[in-house]
Amino acid sequence: METKRIIQSYGRKRARGLSETQKENLVTLYDIYGITLPESNVNPHDYFNGQFEKITLEIGFGRGEHLIQNAINNPTMGFIGCEPFENGVASALKAIADNNLNNVKIYKGDARLLLDFFPAHSINSVYVLFPDPWIKKKHYKRRLLSTEFLNRLREKMAEHGSIIIATDCENYMQNVLENLKSIQGIKYTDDMTALSEKPSWFLSTRYEQKALSKGKKCYYLKCEV
Ligand SMILES: C[S@@+](CC[C@H](N)C(=O)[O-])C[C@H]1O[C@@H](n2cnc3c(N)ncnc32)[C@H](O)[C@@H]1O
């Protein structure tokens, strides 16, 4: 498949030097739990030999706390996490191994590249939690949740699926709501007050905790397919 040029939506790929163990995990554990870009279309169920009825995709899992907790809580569901940040990938791989999880696969890279290989209606839930906000106007074009990407995500969603988005950036959430207006076949509320109430089912993330500890408001959106 031809790789399209896409605008980078993430900040850094590495925070500081990786330890020797992290470097080793990125090779040995990635061999077990990692995904490499396929050469042709692939059904995400195949990564788990078809043993799970439902597939959840988490885009930009950071250090993986939410992804891992979700996978522990839902052992009969397959989870695919995408993240280009190597330190985060190393942490998530270690957590998968430590918890002996057989229901998580990791793609070390831009989720958009992997998603292109998945057939329509192959994913049941998608989480995009605290995507890089790109707060300067000149950087808005870097925001991951463009109309085009939301459309692609929608195409991949199975019936009764859900797309869950959270952010502490009010302007980002408003931008997402604007972009969603042209997406067919989804239900959600666009009431910002309602969106600022944390749903009881929401598992916390590192960025959410950071934002809340600074007294920032967070917004939680669930789009139902
Ligand atoms: C602000 S962090 C939030 C991390 C985590 N979700 C949390 O809430 O703690 C955003 C993450 O999204 C990742 N990211 C940005 N663009 C991405 C893309 N196209 N595919 C996958 N991950 C991406 C970044 O590398 C970064 O780790």
Side-chain angles (χ1 to χ4, degrees), residues 175-219:
N175 185 220
V176 167
L177 293 172
E178 191 54 42
N179 294 345
L180 283 171
K181 281 184 186 163
S182 62
I183 315 288
Q184 304 295 308
I186 45 170
K187 284 183 286 178
Y188 57 94
T189 176
D190 59 2
D191 175 343
M192 288 295 278
T193 308
L195 294 177
S196 68
E197 277 159 34
K198 181 171 168 160
S200 56
W201 48 263
F202 189 85
L203 300 172
S204 194
T205 83
R206 181 181 282 253
Y207 266 76
E208 183 207 31
Q209 283 169 24
K210 232 157 99 175
L212 294 177
S213 72
K214 289 183 192 157
K216 289 173 91 178
K217 210 184 237 185
C218 295
Y219 299 88

Side-chain angles (χ1 to χ4, degrees), residues 9-10 60 62 82-84 109-111 129-130 132 144 205-207:
S9 59
Y10 48 88
C82 301
E83 174 57 68
D110 191 316
L129 305 178
F130 300 86
D132 295 279
L144 178 64
T205 83
R206 181 181 282 253
Y207 266 76

Side-chain angles (χ1 to χ4, degrees), residues 133-194:
W134 297 110
I135 50 179
K136 290 185 187 158
K137 212 167 185 172
K138 66 173 181 186
H139 288 149
Y140 282 3
K141 58 179 180 295
R142 295 197 176 279
R143 289 181 169 178
L144 178 64
L145 296 172
S146 63
T147 308
E148 195 259 328
F149 184 58
L150 286 165
N151 238 324
R152 270 157 72 199
L153 268 185
R154 170 65 188 88
E155 279 167 28
K156 307 294 176 184
M157 299 308 299
E159 212 184 336
H160 306 303
S162 54
I163 303 173
I164 292 140
I165 297 165
T167 179
D168 60 344
C169 177
E170 185 179 357
N171 171 273
Y172 198 132
M173 185 52 85
Q174 280 163 340
N175 185 220
V176 167
L177 293 172
E178 191 54 42
N179 294 345
L180 283 171
K181 281 184 186 163
S182 62
I183 315 288
Q184 304 295 308
I186 45 170
K187 284 183 286 178
Y188 57 94
T189 176
D190 59 2
D191 175 343
M192 288 295 278
T193 308

